[in-house]
Amino acid sequence: GSSGSSTHLSTILKQTFTSALSPIQPMPTMENVESWSYKNAGIIAQQYTLSATAHGLSTCMMEGYDARRVKEILRIPERYGVPLMV
């Protein structure tokens, strides 16, 4: 769909600007939006579980579930991914 093309376009734009600015100022390597989003979801989930533990609640991060069924049951649009659950 259109989200795939916009993701691709944003990745190309980031790479273009990184390449253009690298000779002027050292720039970090740019990765695709999905990879960046999944890493950040993991960081947020870790903070969430640590905060819950600090308040006396037990939590657990999960992966290895049927993401297609989770998205169907929770009515999550196709353009979104489910990298993990807490």
Side-chain angles (χ1 to χ4, degrees), residues 10-48:
S10 66
T11 300
I12 290 171
L13 288 173
K14 286 179 187 177
Q15 290 171 343
T16 301
F17 284 114
T18 299
S19 296
L21 294 174
S22 288
I24 300 167
Q25 176 179 353
M27 300 292 284
T29 303
M30 299 307 286
E31 56 193 323
N32 72 38
V33 173
E34 183 178 34
S35 176
W36 178 86
S37 299
Y38 275 44
K39 286 180 188 177
N40 278 279
I43 293 168
I44 292 166
Q46 179 182 21
Q47 186 62 39
Y48 180 80

Side-chain angles (χ1 to χ4, degrees), residues 7 21 29 73 82:
T7 299
L21 294 174
T29 303
I73 291 167
V82 183

Side-chain angles (χ1 to χ4, degrees), residues 38 65-82 85:
Y38 275 44
Y65 48 84
D66 185 342
R68 181 192 57 79
R69 292 202 55 215
V70 168
K71 289 169 68 171
E72 180 182 313
I73 291 167
L74 297 177
R75 297 182 179 156
I76 297 172
E78 188 60 37
R79 67 181 180 267
Y80 297 114
V82 183
M85 292 192 293

